Amino acid sequence: MATAFLTGGTGFLGGHVARALSELGWRVRLLARDPRKARDARLAGLALDVVPGDLSDQNALAQALSGADAIVHAAGLVNARSLEDYRAVNVRGTEQLLAAARRSAPDAMFVHVSSQAAAGPAREGRPVLAGDPARPVSWYGVSKHESELAVSEFWKGPWVILRPGVIFGPGDRGLFVYFRMAASGWIPLPAGQTRVQVIAAEQSALAIARAASRRDLTGQTGFLCDPQPIRLADLAGLIATLPRRPARILPVPNAAVRLLGRWETLRETLTGKSRPFNADKAREILAGDWLCEGGPMRQALDLPPDVSLAQSLRAAWDWYRAAGWL
């Protein structure tokens, strides 16, 4: 049985990736800073080889990576107070993983889970292509792009870089904000006319797991997203129908988004703690359409047709309710 070494497996997307890898027949060796999180209900029933440690311990990493046939790097920081905070995890953490892997598993297939944010928003209304120059507009996007450069520069074995769009599904705390607001009866909505491309966590995880055995994709970078864009207003509208009593949508002016972003950044400065939303996230939200060309990677990985978005959102709502999040 081939072995896949997985980072970020106790997180939202990484948990789905761990399950997808297991279902494809991989033996999953999961790096966990807190091994207790590997007992999360979303990982229940999986035969995981849990390795305590993090990306800062070179010796522990090198030992854990020994004999790995594939390395799936799904760990990353999505909220931080500064570009340097993002770089400390997303860039230097990737570099440390690469250095340890060069010692212990130099021929492994390296699957780097990046983000659409690394490429930046649409170009004059045109979806971003995999070969377009990266134009990130946020600190998170800059750090993810720099982590991509580290992989392409330092990894001498086979590698592929995957850039998911907006991921949603069981365990997600990002889009969950919309679900929580819908449950309260109101959804404040910024940038309602902005078009985005989403992808269900299960579909994204399946793509990542399949890429782990696809050495023929070496050197490629590709997007993971549903083919059809959706306006944020329409996405919020679908979520608003999920409660027993449909929620109302309250448009938020761009000026208010910027003001709230600056306020939250001030709170970060005063408390020393990162916030889910700040001035950097406001720039990302107001950057225009987030469109990408996901067709080539979808075809290369032979992904199944997507479940309807309405059905997937309902499944996520049901999961949040069953898990006590709503």
Side-chain angles (χ1 to χ4, degrees), residues 131-170:
D132 287 341
R135 297 178 186 171
V137 295
S138 64
W139 292 333
Y140 172 67
V142 169
S143 71
K144 294 302 285 185
H145 176 54
E146 291 177 354
S147 73
E148 293 180 357
L149 294 177
V151 173
S152 62
E153 181 176 353
F154 297 119
W155 189 246
K156 304 307 179 186
W159 58 266
V160 64
I161 294 170
L162 302 177
R163 294 168 167 172
V166 178
I167 308 173
F168 70 95

PDB file of all heavy atoms in Angstrom, residues 131-170:
ATOM      1  N   GLY A 131      -1.700  29.773 -16.744  1.00  0.00           N
ATOM      2  CA  GLY A 131      -0.427  30.331 -17.180  1.00  0.00           C
ATOM      3  C   GLY A 131      -0.319  31.834 -17.050  1.00  0.00           C
ATOM      4  O   GLY A 131       0.745  32.415 -17.354  1.00  0.00           O
ATOM      5  N   ASP A 132      -1.378  32.515 -16.594  1.00  0.00           N
ATOM      6  CA  ASP A 132      -1.333  33.972 -16.437  1.00  0.00           C
ATOM      7  C   ASP A 132      -0.401  34.362 -15.292  1.00  0.00           C
ATOM      8  O   ASP A 132      -0.312  33.646 -14.287  1.00  0.00           O
ATOM      9  CB  ASP A 132      -2.730  34.525 -16.145  1.00  0.00           C
ATOM     10  CG  ASP A 132      -3.632  34.510 -17.355  1.00  0.00           C
ATOM     11  OD1 ASP A 132      -3.103  34.425 -18.487  1.00  0.00           O
ATOM     12  OD2 ASP A 132      -4.857  34.586 -17.176  1.00  0.00           O
ATOM     13  N   PRO A 133       0.281  35.503 -15.409  1.00  0.00           N
ATOM     14  CA  PRO A 133       1.099  35.976 -14.288  1.00  0.00           C
ATOM     15  C   PRO A 133       0.237  36.180 -13.039  1.00  0.00           C
ATOM     16  O   PRO A 133      -0.899  36.660 -13.142  1.00  0.00           O
ATOM     17  CB  PRO A 133       1.665  37.311 -14.798  1.00  0.00           C
ATOM     18  CG  PRO A 133       1.567  37.235 -16.277  1.00  0.00           C
ATOM     19  CD  PRO A 133       0.356  36.409 -16.574  1.00  0.00           C
ATOM     20  N   ALA A 134       0.766  35.793 -11.898  1.00  0.00           N
ATOM     21  CA  ALA A 134       0.016  35.947 -10.645  1.00  0.00           C
ATOM     22  C   ALA A 134      -0.078  37.421 -10.274  1.00  0.00           C
ATOM     23  O   ALA A 134       0.900  38.158 -10.368  1.00  0.00           O
ATOM     24  CB  ALA A 134       0.697  35.164  -9.532  1.00  0.00           C
ATOM     25  N   ARG A 135      -1.279  37.824  -9.824  1.00  0.00           N
ATOM     26  CA  ARG A 135      -1.499  39.194  -9.365  1.00  0.00           C
ATOM     27  C   ARG A 135      -2.318  39.175  -8.072  1.00  0.00           C
ATOM     28  O   ARG A 135      -3.466  39.632  -8.042  1.00  0.00           O
ATOM     29  CB  ARG A 135      -2.228  40.011 -10.426  1.00  0.00           C
ATOM     30  CG  ARG A 135      -1.455  40.195 -11.738  1.00  0.00           C
ATOM     31  CD  ARG A 135      -2.289  40.981 -12.735  1.00  0.00           C
ATOM     32  NE  ARG A 135      -1.650  41.054 -14.044  1.00  0.00           N
ATOM     33  CZ  ARG A 135      -2.246  41.539 -15.128  1.00  0.00           C
ATOM     34  NH1 ARG A 135      -3.501  41.979 -15.051  1.00  0.00           N
ATOM     35  NH2 ARG A 135      -1.605  41.571 -16.288  1.00  0.00           N
ATOM     36  N   PRO A 136      -1.769  38.620  -6.999  1.00  0.00           N
ATOM     37  CA  PRO A 136      -2.522  38.576  -5.746  1.00  0.00           C
ATOM     38  C   PRO A 136      -2.787  39.975  -5.214  1.00  0.00           C
ATOM     39  O   PRO A 136      -1.968  40.884  -5.394  1.00  0.00           O
ATOM     40  CB  PRO A 136      -1.605  37.776  -4.811  1.00  0.00           C
ATOM     41  CG  PRO A 136      -0.228  37.946  -5.391  1.00  0.00           C
ATOM     42  CD  PRO A 136      -0.412  38.052  -6.870  1.00  0.00           C
ATOM     43  N   VAL A 137      -3.926  40.148  -4.563  1.00  0.00           N
ATOM     44  CA  VAL A 137      -4.297  41.465  -4.045  1.00  0.00           C
ATOM     45  C   VAL A 137      -4.328  41.498  -2.523  1.00  0.00           C
ATOM     46  O   VAL A 137      -4.565  42.543  -1.935  1.00  0.00           O
ATOM     47  CB  VAL A 137      -5.672  41.898  -4.593  1.00  0.00           C
ATOM     48  CG1 VAL A 137      -5.616  42.084  -6.102  1.00  0.00           C
ATOM     49  CG2 VAL A 137      -6.762  40.905  -4.208  1.00  0.00           C
ATOM     50  N   SER A 138      -4.095  40.359  -1.879  1.00  0.00           N
ATOM     51  CA  SER A 138      -4.140  40.292  -0.415  1.00  0.00           C
ATOM     52  C   SER A 138      -2.846  39.693   0.111  1.00  0.00           C
ATOM     53  O   SER A 138      -2.104  39.034  -0.615  1.00  0.00           O
ATOM     54  CB  SER A 138      -5.325  39.433   0.050  1.00  0.00           C
ATOM     55  OG  SER A 138      -5.154  38.087  -0.384  1.00  0.00           O
ATOM     56  N   TRP A 139      -2.593  39.905   1.397  1.00  0.00           N
ATOM     57  CA  TRP A 139      -1.406  39.310   2.019  1.00  0.00           C
ATOM     58  C   TRP A 139      -1.477  37.791   1.942  1.00  0.00           C
ATOM     59  O   TRP A 139      -0.463  37.140   1.690  1.00  0.00           O
ATOM     60  CB  TRP A 139      -1.315  39.737   3.481  1.00  0.00           C
ATOM     61  CG  TRP A 139      -1.021  41.186   3.676  1.00  0.00           C
ATOM     62  CD1 TRP A 139      -0.356  42.022   2.819  1.00  0.00           C
ATOM     63  CD2 TRP A 139      -1.388  41.978   4.808  1.00  0.00           C
ATOM     64  NE1 TRP A 139      -0.282  43.274   3.348  1.00  0.00           N
ATOM     65  CE2 TRP A 139      -0.902  43.285   4.576  1.00  0.00           C
ATOM     66  CE3 TRP A 139      -2.069  41.722   5.990  1.00  0.00           C
ATOM     67  CZ2 TRP A 139      -1.077  44.324   5.490  1.00  0.00           C
ATOM     68  CZ3 TRP A 139      -2.252  42.741   6.901  1.00  0.00           C
ATOM     69  CH2 TRP A 139      -1.757  44.030   6.656  1.00  0.00           C
ATOM     70  N   TYR A 140      -2.661  37.243   2.169  1.00  0.00           N
ATOM     71  CA  TYR A 140      -2.822  35.795   2.069  1.00  0.00           C
ATOM     72  C   TYR A 140      -2.450  35.325   0.671  1.00  0.00           C
ATOM     73  O   TYR A 140      -1.703  34.355   0.502  1.00  0.00           O
ATOM     74  CB  TYR A 140      -4.267  35.419   2.396  1.00  0.00           C
ATOM     75  CG  TYR A 140      -4.587  33.962   2.137  1.00  0.00           C
ATOM     76  CD1 TYR A 140      -4.020  32.951   2.894  1.00  0.00           C
ATOM     77  CD2 TYR A 140      -5.475  33.601   1.119  1.00  0.00           C
ATOM     78  CE1 TYR A 140      -4.312  31.615   2.655  1.00  0.00           C
ATOM     79  CE2 TYR A 140      -5.782  32.274   0.869  1.00  0.00           C
ATOM     80  CZ  TYR A 140      -5.193  31.287   1.639  1.00  0.00           C
ATOM     81  OH  TYR A 140      -5.481  29.965   1.385  1.00  0.00           O
ATOM     82  N   GLY A 141      -2.963  36.011  -0.340  1.00  0.00           N
ATOM     83  CA  GLY A 141      -2.654  35.632  -1.712  1.00  0.00           C
ATOM     84  C   GLY A 141      -1.173  35.729  -2.029  1.00  0.00           C
ATOM     85  O   GLY A 141      -0.613  34.858  -2.709  1.00  0.00           O
ATOM     86  N   VAL A 142      -0.524  36.784  -1.552  1.00  0.00           N
ATOM     87  CA  VAL A 142       0.918  36.939  -1.773  1.00  0.00           C
ATOM     88  C   VAL A 142       1.670  35.766  -1.156  1.00  0.00           C
ATOM     89  O   VAL A 142       2.565  35.179  -1.779  1.00  0.00           O
ATOM     90  CB  VAL A 142       1.413  38.271  -1.177  1.00  0.00           C
ATOM     91  CG1 VAL A 142       2.942  38.321  -1.147  1.00  0.00           C
ATOM     92  CG2 VAL A 142       0.871  39.450  -1.984  1.00  0.00           C
ATOM     93  N   SER A 143       1.304  35.404   0.066  1.00  0.00           N
ATOM     94  CA  SER A 143       2.016  34.315   0.746  1.00  0.00           C
ATOM     95  C   SER A 143       1.793  32.982   0.046  1.00  0.00           C
ATOM     96  O   SER A 143       2.710  32.166  -0.072  1.00  0.00           O
ATOM     97  CB  SER A 143       1.590  34.225   2.219  1.00  0.00           C
ATOM     98  OG  SER A 143       0.265  33.739   2.351  1.00  0.00           O
ATOM     99  N   LYS A 144       0.592  32.749  -0.466  1.00  0.00           N
ATOM    100  CA  LYS A 144       0.328  31.488  -1.171  1.00  0.00           C
ATOM    101  C   LYS A 144       1.076  31.447  -2.504  1.00  0.00           C
ATOM    102  O   LYS A 144       1.580  30.389  -2.914  1.00  0.00           O
ATOM    103  CB  LYS A 144      -1.171  31.287  -1.388  1.00  0.00           C
ATOM    104  CG  LYS A 144      -1.970  31.082  -0.115  1.00  0.00           C
ATOM    105  CD  LYS A 144      -1.493  29.890   0.707  1.00  0.00           C
ATOM    106  CE  LYS A 144      -1.902  28.564   0.103  1.00  0.00           C
ATOM    107  NZ  LYS A 144      -1.534  27.416   0.975  1.00  0.00           N
ATOM    108  N   HIS A 145       1.172  32.586  -3.179  1.00  0.00           N
ATOM    109  CA  HIS A 145       1.947  32.619  -4.428  1.00  0.00           C
ATOM    110  C   HIS A 145       3.421  32.350  -4.147  1.00  0.00           C
ATOM    111  O   HIS A 145       4.084  31.597  -4.874  1.00  0.00           O
ATOM    112  CB  HIS A 145       1.782  33.966  -5.110  1.00  0.00           C
ATOM    113  CG  HIS A 145       2.624  34.117  -6.343  1.00  0.00           C
ATOM    114  ND1 HIS A 145       2.591  33.207  -7.384  1.00  0.00           N
ATOM    115  CD2 HIS A 145       3.552  35.044  -6.691  1.00  0.00           C
ATOM    116  CE1 HIS A 145       3.445  33.582  -8.324  1.00  0.00           C
ATOM    117  NE2 HIS A 145       4.040  34.679  -7.925  1.00  0.00           N
ATOM    118  N   GLU A 146       3.945  32.940  -3.082  1.00  0.00           N
ATOM    119  CA  GLU A 146       5.345  32.707  -2.740  1.00  0.00           C
ATOM    120  C   GLU A 146       5.578  31.253  -2.353  1.00  0.00           C
ATOM    121  O   GLU A 146       6.657  30.700  -2.623  1.00  0.00           O
ATOM    122  CB  GLU A 146       5.766  33.653  -1.611  1.00  0.00           C
ATOM    123  CG  GLU A 146       5.831  35.121  -2.062  1.00  0.00           C
ATOM    124  CD  GLU A 146       6.185  36.073  -0.936  1.00  0.00           C
ATOM    125  OE1 GLU A 146       6.283  35.621   0.244  1.00  0.00           O
ATOM    126  OE2 GLU A 146       6.361  37.273  -1.209  1.00  0.00           O
ATOM    127  N   SER A 147       4.583  30.619  -1.742  1.00  0.00           N
ATOM    128  CA  SER A 147       4.741  29.196  -1.421  1.00  0.00           C
ATOM    129  C   SER A 147       4.760  28.359  -2.697  1.00  0.00           C
ATOM    130  O   SER A 147       5.472  27.354  -2.779  1.00  0.00           O
ATOM    131  CB  SER A 147       3.609  28.730  -0.487  1.00  0.00           C
ATOM    132  OG  SER A 147       2.367  28.627  -1.168  1.00  0.00           O
ATOM    133  N   GLU A 148       3.988  28.766  -3.705  1.00  0.00           N
ATOM    134  CA  GLU A 148       4.032  28.077  -4.997  1.00  0.00           C
ATOM    135  C   GLU A 148       5.425  28.184  -5.622  1.00  0.00           C
ATOM    136  O   GLU A 148       5.953  27.203  -6.168  1.00  0.00           O
ATOM    137  CB  GLU A 148       3.010  28.693  -5.958  1.00  0.00           C
ATOM    138  CG  GLU A 148       1.567  28.490  -5.568  1.00  0.00           C
ATOM    139  CD  GLU A 148       0.613  29.131  -6.562  1.00  0.00           C
ATOM    140  OE1 GLU A 148       1.093  29.784  -7.520  1.00  0.00           O
ATOM    141  OE2 GLU A 148      -0.606  28.972  -6.404  1.00  0.00           O
ATOM    142  N   LEU A 149       6.000  29.378  -5.553  1.00  0.00           N
ATOM    143  CA  LEU A 149       7.337  29.582  -6.120  1.00  0.00           C
ATOM    144  C   LEU A 149       8.363  28.700  -5.417  1.00  0.00           C
ATOM    145  O   LEU A 149       9.288  28.185  -6.057  1.00  0.00           O
ATOM    146  CB  LEU A 149       7.732  31.055  -6.004  1.00  0.00           C
ATOM    147  CG  LEU A 149       6.896  32.044  -6.827  1.00  0.00           C
ATOM    148  CD1 LEU A 149       7.353  33.475  -6.554  1.00  0.00           C
ATOM    149  CD2 LEU A 149       6.999  31.734  -8.317  1.00  0.00           C
ATOM    150  N   ALA A 150       8.196  28.529  -4.102  1.00  0.00           N
ATOM    151  CA  ALA A 150       9.123  27.674  -3.356  1.00  0.00           C
ATOM    152  C   ALA A 150       9.058  26.239  -3.872  1.00  0.00           C
ATOM    153  O   ALA A 150      10.092  25.575  -4.043  1.00  0.00           O
ATOM    154  CB  ALA A 150       8.789  27.723  -1.864  1.00  0.00           C
ATOM    155  N   VAL A 151       7.849  25.742  -4.146  1.00  0.00           N
ATOM    156  CA  VAL A 151       7.700  24.372  -4.644  1.00  0.00           C
ATOM    157  C   VAL A 151       8.358  24.227  -6.012  1.00  0.00           C
ATOM    158  O   VAL A 151       9.147  23.300  -6.257  1.00  0.00           O
ATOM    159  CB  VAL A 151       6.213  23.976  -4.715  1.00  0.00           C
ATOM    160  CG1 VAL A 151       6.043  22.617  -5.402  1.00  0.00           C
ATOM    161  CG2 VAL A 151       5.606  23.935  -3.316  1.00  0.00           C
ATOM    162  N   SER A 152       8.053  25.139  -6.916  1.00  0.00           N
ATOM    163  CA  SER A 152       8.580  25.023  -8.280  1.00  0.00           C
ATOM    164  C   SER A 152      10.093  25.206  -8.328  1.00  0.00           C
ATOM    165  O   SER A 152      10.762  24.647  -9.206  1.00  0.00           O
ATOM    166  CB  SER A 152       7.902  26.048  -9.194  1.00  0.00           C
ATOM    167  OG  SER A 152       8.170  27.370  -8.771  1.00  0.00           O
ATOM    168  N   GLU A 153      10.635  25.953  -7.381  1.00  0.00           N
ATOM    169  CA  GLU A 153      12.076  26.215  -7.391  1.00  0.00           C
ATOM    170  C   GLU A 153      12.880  25.136  -6.670  1.00  0.00           C
ATOM    171  O   GLU A 153      13.955  24.742  -7.133  1.00  0.00           O
ATOM    172  CB  GLU A 153      12.360  27.573  -6.743  1.00  0.00           C
ATOM    173  CG  GLU A 153      13.831  27.953  -6.734  1.00  0.00           C
ATOM    174  CD  GLU A 153      14.092  29.336  -6.168  1.00  0.00           C
ATOM    175  OE1 GLU A 153      13.107  30.068  -5.889  1.00  0.00           O
ATOM    176  OE2 GLU A 153      15.281  29.700  -5.995  1.00  0.00           O
ATOM    177  N   PHE A 154      12.366  24.653  -5.545  1.00  0.00           N
ATOM    178  CA  PHE A 154      13.178  23.799  -4.683  1.00  0.00           C
ATOM    179  C   PHE A 154      12.880  22.304  -4.794  1.00  0.00           C
ATOM    180  O   PHE A 154      13.698  21.491  -4.378  1.00  0.00           O
ATOM    181  CB  PHE A 154      13.052  24.233  -3.224  1.00  0.00           C
ATOM    182  CG  PHE A 154      13.562  25.615  -2.958  1.00  0.00           C
ATOM    183  CD1 PHE A 154      12.724  26.614  -2.469  1.00  0.00           C
ATOM    184  CD2 PHE A 154      14.880  25.943  -3.218  1.00  0.00           C
ATOM    185  CE1 PHE A 154      13.196  27.896  -2.230  1.00  0.00           C
ATOM    186  CE2 PHE A 154      15.363  27.215  -2.982  1.00  0.00           C
ATOM    187  CZ  PHE A 154      14.517  28.197  -2.491  1.00  0.00           C
ATOM    188  N   TRP A 155      11.700  21.932  -5.328  1.00  0.00           N
ATOM    189  CA  TRP A 155      11.383  20.505  -5.370  1.00  0.00           C
ATOM    190  C   TRP A 155      11.845  19.918  -6.698  1.00  0.00           C
ATOM    191  O   TRP A 155      11.365  20.314  -7.761  1.00  0.00           O
ATOM    192  CB  TRP A 155       9.891  20.265  -5.175  1.00  0.00           C
ATOM    193  CG  TRP A 155       9.566  18.806  -4.989  1.00  0.00           C
ATOM    194  CD1 TRP A 155       8.857  17.997  -5.815  1.00  0.00           C
ATOM    195  CD2 TRP A 155       9.995  17.977  -3.902  1.00  0.00           C
ATOM    196  NE1 TRP A 155       8.788  16.716  -5.307  1.00  0.00           N
ATOM    197  CE2 TRP A 155       9.490  16.680  -4.124  1.00  0.00           C
ATOM    198  CE3 TRP A 155      10.754  18.228  -2.748  1.00  0.00           C
ATOM    199  CZ2 TRP A 155       9.718  15.625  -3.252  1.00  0.00           C
ATOM    200  CZ3 TRP A 155      10.973  17.178  -1.875  1.00  0.00           C
ATOM    201  CH2 TRP A 155      10.460  15.891  -2.126  1.00  0.00           C
ATOM    202  N   LYS A 156      12.771  18.992  -6.626  1.00  0.00           N
ATOM    203  CA  LYS A 156      13.346  18.393  -7.830  1.00  0.00           C
ATOM    204  C   LYS A 156      12.573  17.162  -8.295  1.00  0.00           C
ATOM    205  O   LYS A 156      12.777  16.680  -9.411  1.00  0.00           O
ATOM    206  CB  LYS A 156      14.809  18.018  -7.590  1.00  0.00           C
ATOM    207  CG  LYS A 156      15.678  19.182  -7.118  1.00  0.00           C
ATOM    208  CD  LYS A 156      15.556  20.390  -8.046  1.00  0.00           C
ATOM    209  CE  LYS A 156      16.399  21.554  -7.545  1.00  0.00           C
ATOM    210  NZ  LYS A 156      16.177  22.778  -8.377  1.00  0.00           N
ATOM    211  N   GLY A 157      11.706  16.634  -7.437  1.00  0.00           N
ATOM    212  CA  GLY A 157      10.882  15.494  -7.819  1.00  0.00           C
ATOM    213  C   GLY A 157       9.619  15.968  -8.513  1.00  0.00           C
ATOM    214  O   GLY A 157       9.464  17.146  -8.854  1.00  0.00           O
ATOM    215  N   PRO A 158       8.652  15.078  -8.737  1.00  0.00           N
ATOM    216  CA  PRO A 158       7.395  15.445  -9.388  1.00  0.00           C
ATOM    217  C   PRO A 158       6.524  16.302  -8.469  1.00  0.00           C
ATOM    218  O   PRO A 158       6.485  16.091  -7.256  1.00  0.00           O
ATOM    219  CB  PRO A 158       6.737  14.099  -9.680  1.00  0.00           C
ATOM    220  CG  PRO A 158       7.308  13.171  -8.655  1.00  0.00           C
ATOM    221  CD  PRO A 158       8.717  13.623  -8.416  1.00  0.00           C
ATOM    222  N   TRP A 159       5.842  17.277  -9.047  1.00  0.00           N
ATOM    223  CA  TRP A 159       4.973  18.141  -8.246  1.00  0.00           C
ATOM    224  C   TRP A 159       3.823  18.690  -9.087  1.00  0.00           C
ATOM    225  O   TRP A 159       3.911  18.798 -10.304  1.00  0.00           O
ATOM    226  CB  TRP A 159       5.738  19.300  -7.617  1.00  0.00           C
ATOM    227  CG  TRP A 159       6.449  20.209  -8.600  1.00  0.00           C
ATOM    228  CD1 TRP A 159       7.757  20.112  -9.006  1.00  0.00           C
ATOM    229  CD2 TRP A 159       5.897  21.335  -9.317  1.00  0.00           C
ATOM    230  NE1 TRP A 159       8.050  21.095  -9.926  1.00  0.00           N
ATOM    231  CE2 TRP A 159       6.934  21.866 -10.129  1.00  0.00           C
ATOM    232  CE3 TRP A 159       4.646  21.938  -9.353  1.00  0.00           C
ATOM    233  CZ2 TRP A 159       6.749  22.970 -10.962  1.00  0.00           C
ATOM    234  CZ3 TRP A 159       4.446  23.039 -10.187  1.00  0.00           C
ATOM    235  CH2 TRP A 159       5.491  23.547 -10.969  1.00  0.00           C
ATOM    236  N   VAL A 160       2.744  19.047  -8.407  1.00  0.00           N
ATOM    237  CA  VAL A 160       1.622  19.728  -9.027  1.00  0.00           C
ATOM    238  C   VAL A 160       1.070  20.723  -8.008  1.00  0.00           C
ATOM    239  O   VAL A 160       1.109  20.470  -6.790  1.00  0.00           O
ATOM    240  CB  VAL A 160       0.525  18.726  -9.477  1.00  0.00           C
ATOM    241  CG1 VAL A 160      -0.086  18.000  -8.275  1.00  0.00           C
ATOM    242  CG2 VAL A 160      -0.563  19.421 -10.290  1.00  0.00           C
ATOM    243  N   ILE A 161       0.612  21.864  -8.494  1.00  0.00           N
ATOM    244  CA  ILE A 161       0.042  22.909  -7.635  1.00  0.00           C
ATOM    245  C   ILE A 161      -1.434  23.060  -7.974  1.00  0.00           C
ATOM    246  O   ILE A 161      -1.797  23.237  -9.137  1.00  0.00           O
ATOM    247  CB  ILE A 161       0.771  24.248  -7.836  1.00  0.00           C
ATOM    248  CG1 ILE A 161       2.216  24.143  -7.339  1.00  0.00           C
ATOM    249  CG2 ILE A 161       0.037  25.375  -7.101  1.00  0.00           C
ATOM    250  CD1 ILE A 161       3.087  25.338  -7.700  1.00  0.00           C
ATOM    251  N   LEU A 162      -2.292  22.979  -6.952  1.00  0.00           N
ATOM    252  CA  LEU A 162      -3.730  23.093  -7.127  1.00  0.00           C
ATOM    253  C   LEU A 162      -4.239  24.334  -6.408  1.00  0.00           C
ATOM    254  O   LEU A 162      -3.898  24.568  -5.250  1.00  0.00           O
ATOM    255  CB  LEU A 162      -4.435  21.845  -6.598  1.00  0.00           C
ATOM    256  CG  LEU A 162      -3.998  20.529  -7.255  1.00  0.00           C
ATOM    257  CD1 LEU A 162      -4.701  19.352  -6.591  1.00  0.00           C
ATOM    258  CD2 LEU A 162      -4.296  20.540  -8.751  1.00  0.00           C
ATOM    259  N   ARG A 163      -5.078  25.096  -7.103  1.00  0.00           N
ATOM    260  CA  ARG A 163      -5.609  26.349  -6.559  1.00  0.00           C
ATOM    261  C   ARG A 163      -7.135  26.263  -6.451  1.00  0.00           C
ATOM    262  O   ARG A 163      -7.843  26.593  -7.398  1.00  0.00           O
ATOM    263  CB  ARG A 163      -5.246  27.517  -7.478  1.00  0.00           C
ATOM    264  CG  ARG A 163      -3.772  27.846  -7.569  1.00  0.00           C
ATOM    265  CD  ARG A 163      -3.546  28.815  -8.725  1.00  0.00           C
ATOM    266  NE  ARG A 163      -2.210  29.418  -8.713  1.00  0.00           N
ATOM    267  CZ  ARG A 163      -1.735  30.168  -9.716  1.00  0.00           C
ATOM    268  NH1 ARG A 163      -2.484  30.365 -10.803  1.00  0.00           N
ATOM    269  NH2 ARG A 163      -0.531  30.689  -9.634  1.00  0.00           N
ATOM    270  N   PRO A 164      -7.668  25.836  -5.319  1.00  0.00           N
ATOM    271  CA  PRO A 164      -9.126  25.800  -5.167  1.00  0.00           C
ATOM    272  C   PRO A 164      -9.716  27.205  -5.126  1.00  0.00           C
ATOM    273  O   PRO A 164      -9.075  28.167  -4.676  1.00  0.00           O
ATOM    274  CB  PRO A 164      -9.331  25.084  -3.829  1.00  0.00           C
ATOM    275  CG  PRO A 164      -8.027  24.399  -3.538  1.00  0.00           C
ATOM    276  CD  PRO A 164      -6.982  25.260  -4.162  1.00  0.00           C
ATOM    277  N   GLY A 165     -10.975  27.309  -5.591  1.00  0.00           N
ATOM    278  CA  GLY A 165     -11.718  28.547  -5.425  1.00  0.00           C
ATOM    279  C   GLY A 165     -12.305  28.609  -4.026  1.00  0.00           C
ATOM    280  O   GLY A 165     -11.689  28.163  -3.058  1.00  0.00           O
ATOM    281  N   VAL A 166     -13.509  29.146  -3.891  1.00  0.00           N
ATOM    282  CA  VAL A 166     -14.162  29.251  -2.583  1.00  0.00           C
ATOM    283  C   VAL A 166     -14.682  27.870  -2.193  1.00  0.00           C
ATOM    284  O   VAL A 166     -15.589  27.336  -2.822  1.00  0.00           O
ATOM    285  CB  VAL A 166     -15.325  30.264  -2.626  1.00  0.00           C
ATOM    286  CG1 VAL A 166     -16.014  30.329  -1.263  1.00  0.00           C
ATOM    287  CG2 VAL A 166     -14.820  31.639  -3.049  1.00  0.00           C
ATOM    288  N   ILE A 167     -14.105  27.298  -1.151  1.00  0.00           N
ATOM    289  CA  ILE A 167     -14.465  25.945  -0.723  1.00  0.00           C
ATOM    290  C   ILE A 167     -15.531  26.034   0.372  1.00  0.00           C
ATOM    291  O   ILE A 167     -15.438  26.856   1.283  1.00  0.00           O
ATOM    292  CB  ILE A 167     -13.241  25.191  -0.184  1.00  0.00           C
ATOM    293  CG1 ILE A 167     -12.089  25.235  -1.193  1.00  0.00           C
ATOM    294  CG2 ILE A 167     -13.593  23.749   0.129  1.00  0.00           C
ATOM    295  CD1 ILE A 167     -10.798  24.667  -0.651  1.00  0.00           C
ATOM    296  N   PHE A 168     -16.533  25.170   0.273  1.00  0.00           N
ATOM    297  CA  PHE A 168     -17.562  25.133   1.310  1.00  0.00           C
ATOM    298  C   PHE A 168     -17.917  23.680   1.595  1.00  0.00           C
ATOM    299  O   PHE A 168     -17.601  22.779   0.816  1.00  0.00           O
ATOM    300  CB  PHE A 168     -18.813  25.902   0.861  1.00  0.00           C
ATOM    301  CG  PHE A 168     -19.580  25.217  -0.235  1.00  0.00           C
ATOM    302  CD1 PHE A 168     -20.655  24.390   0.054  1.00  0.00           C
ATOM    303  CD2 PHE A 168     -19.217  25.379  -1.567  1.00  0.00           C
ATOM    304  CE1 PHE A 168     -21.345  23.737  -0.957  1.00  0.00           C
ATOM    305  CE2 PHE A 168     -19.915  24.742  -2.588  1.00  0.00           C
ATOM    306  CZ  PHE A 168     -20.985  23.912  -2.275  1.00  0.00           C
ATOM    307  N   GLY A 169     -18.553  23.476   2.736  1.00  0.00           N
ATOM    308  CA  GLY A 169     -18.983  22.132   3.091  1.00  0.00           C
ATOM    309  C   GLY A 169     -18.844  21.870   4.569  1.00  0.00           C
ATOM    310  O   GLY A 169     -18.475  22.765   5.349  1.00  0.00           O
ATOM    311  N   PRO A 170     -19.126  20.647   5.006  1.00  0.00           N
ATOM    312  CA  PRO A 170     -19.047  20.298   6.424  1.00  0.00           C
ATOM    313  C   PRO A 170     -17.694  20.650   7.035  1.00  0.00           C
ATOM    314  O   PRO A 170     -16.652  20.276   6.509  1.00  0.00           O
ATOM    315  CB  PRO A 170     -19.275  18.782   6.422  1.00  0.00           C
ATOM    316  CG  PRO A 170     -20.103  18.541   5.204  1.00  0.00           C
ATOM    317  CD  PRO A 170     -19.605  19.521   4.183  1.00  0.00           C
TER     318      PRO A 170
END
